[in-house]
Every structure is written in structure tokens, then in C-alpha cells.
Amino acid sequence: MSNFMQAAILPEFGPATAFRIEKVAIPLPAAGQVLVKVKAIGLNPVDFKTRSGKGYASYQTLPAILGWDIAGEVVSVGDGVSKFSIGDRIFGMSNFPNPGNAYAEYAVVQEEEFAIIPKNISYEIAAGTPLAGLTAWEALFDHAGVTWGQRVLIQAAAGGVGHIAVQLAKWKRCFVAATASAANHPFLTELGVDQLVDYKTQRFEDVVEKVDVVIDGMGGETALRSIDVLNPGGILVSLPSMYKDDPAVIARAKERGVDVKWMSVRPSGERMEQLAFLLSNNRLKVQVDETFPLTEIVHAHQRLEDGHGKGKIVLTV
Ligand SMILES: NC(=O)c1ccc[n+]([C@@H]2O[C@H](COP(=O)([O-])OP(=O)(O)OC[C@H]3O[C@@H](n4cnc5c(N)ncnc54)[C@H](OP(=O)(O)O)[C@@H]3O)[C@@H](O)[C@H]2O)c1
């Protein structure tokens, strides 16, 4: 193995065209870390926000290697590693929100943040799972405390987080209402959504009866209007961090007697194992909308930024 690898380097924050494919040194795993030969990388909106100087840009040092969602094969292990061996297929969200250095042929990851990929799952699907899957799980179960049979509304349900949240809520036998454009309705019906709202032609608050929980992947005006469909005592979990602590949302939530929470997803190997279990028995299907080779990073980011993906955009290496 040569000591060098290809990586997508970001020399400066800016547009997608800022990326450069360059040769850099392969990193070495320290204690508790493993070196992964990266096979696929999941993209998330935080990737393009960070690239443009927002998101978690302040956590990066330029030139940076962006990306957090990694699926690949273990090729060497650091001292004290007991969970994985060379040859294991593993996946996880690496080091978020600190640099994950995913957009490369090799990456060093913490063993406690990763899990084994089920045998029936491809590297592409595995790479599409971590950040979106961990977010959907945390939002529904840790922050909203969703229980069996509740009524849940999922905003931006056809997206990365949304389509996984739909399936996790259905797993708990919830009634699930969801917003998406009409083109994505057949996809969401297949995932088990009970009531679909075309956000382009309908106002969800006019057609969805009161719910216990809203998972909101839009923020802003959608978050504000979401409060109107919640039962008293209900919970809105809003995801886009740029709207965190929106005073208008806090004021309306207080007025209506509902709770509102913003969250920041955290890496977790244990949660990855739970998601792996659901993937292994087909309870969870992660949709890969489009794949691009790593060398096509510019086009992949342009597609991601368009904001109308069906499931996940994934890079292959
Ligand atoms: N705080 C956290 O820890 C955290 C974690 C993960 C994600 N996030 C944030 O949560 C948001 C969603 O993430 P994601 O990965 O799911 O994004 P995504 O995959 O890019 O979401 C794209 C989806 O949004 C839908 N959409 C666009 N406009 C809509 C509207 N007005 N109403 C309903 N749906 C609409 C699109 O559906 P159509 O194609 O049908 O229009 C598309 O399927 C992002 O802002 C992301 O940064 C935050």
C-alpha cells in the first residue's frame, strides 16, 4: 500500500467548485482508532453548509477534508481496539461535529462510533445511513419520546432524515402524516405513510388533524406553522440549526402549550448497531437517490444543495 491517497480537498470555504482532488498522506490510527479503506461516503446538508462557510465551518482547519458518513473496510487497527478486526465492513458518523475527513480513499475513525454493516447491506446504503439515521432516532425517541401508536407529522419526509423517521415511527405503530411534493408520494406510501400532504398545493395545518409530535426538517415558517397542528403538551423537534432558538417559534409554542426542541446529532456506535439491526431484518430501508464517484464531488455537492433528493446522495470511492 502506498503512503498516499486521493482526497477531495477544500482549500477555502465557498461554492462546490472550490473542491480539488489531490494526493495527501494516508492517516495513521492512534489508540482506539481504526483505519478504514473508504468504499462509500454519505452526503448531508451540513456538508454543503460547512463547505460554504456556515454549518460547522468553525470546527474545520483549512485546507479541509469534509464529510462525516463513512462506510468501508478496516485495513489496520490502533492499540487497544477490540471491537473490529482487519477486513470488517463498518459504518458510522465520524467525529461529528469535529472534522470527519470522510472525502478520501482512507479515513481514521473512532471504534466506539462505528458498527458492523449487515451482510445484506451494500456500502452505498450503509454510507447513506449514519447521520440521517442517528438524527431520526434521536429526534423521535430521545427528544420527542415517541411511544407506541402516537400521531406524528414528518416535514420534508422524502429527504435523508425524513424517510428514515417515517420508517422508525411506523416501526412504533404510529400514525404518520408527511409532507413532500407529489412526485415523492408513491415512494412515501411504500414506506407506510398514512397521510400525505403535497406542500406545494396544500397547507398541512388545514388537512392534518392534531398530532403529538412534529419532526421538522425545514425550520422557519414551517416550524412556526407546525405548532398549530400539535395537541396541547405535544412536541416539535426542529432540525435545521440555522433556526435554533427562533424567538417566534418559542413564543408561539408557549402560547399554545407545546414544547419545542432543537438538537444536534451525536455519533454513537450503539445507535449504529440498532440501525444495523433494523437494516438487517428489512425493517429499515435506506434509499440511495444518486451516487457519484468521489472525483465528481463538485456535481454531487451541486445536486445535494438543490434540496430535493429522494433519500440520500452518496459518493463512491
Ligand atoms: N440538527 C441536527 O442534528 C440535524 C441533523 C440532520 C439534519 N439536519 C437538518 O435537517 C434538514 C433536513 O435534512 P435532510 O438530510 O433530511 O435533508 P435533505 O435530504 O436534503 O431533504 C430534502 C427533502 O426536503 C424536501 N423539501 C424541500 N422543501 C420542502 C417543503 N417546503 N416541505 C416539505 N418538504 C420539503 C424535499 O422534498 P421534495 O423533493 O418532495 O420537494 C426533499 O426530499 C437540513 O436542514 C439539515 O441540515 C439537522
Side-chain angles (χ1 to χ4, degrees), residues 5 62 87 92 114-115 130-131 151 160 185 195 209 224 227 269 294:
M5 64 177 184
L62 294 172
F114 276 60
L131 194 148
R151 291 177 56 83
H185 286 197
Q195 182 181 7
E209 281 179 32
L224 197 59
I227 291 169
L294 176 62

Side-chain angles (χ1 to χ4, degrees), residues 23-67:
K23 281 221 177 293
V24 296
I26 295 176
L28 293 172
Q33 297 181 330
V34 303
L35 179 67
V36 174
K37 184 168 176 28
V38 179
K39 302 285 186 171
I41 302 150
L43 299 187
N44 295 283
V46 67
D47 294 29
F48 77 75
K49 292 173 190 174
T50 301
R51 185 212 71 219
S52 68
K54 300 175 195 145
Y56 288 105
S58 62
Y59 288 63
Q60 304 285 334
T61 308
L62 294 172
I65 301 179
L66 300 187

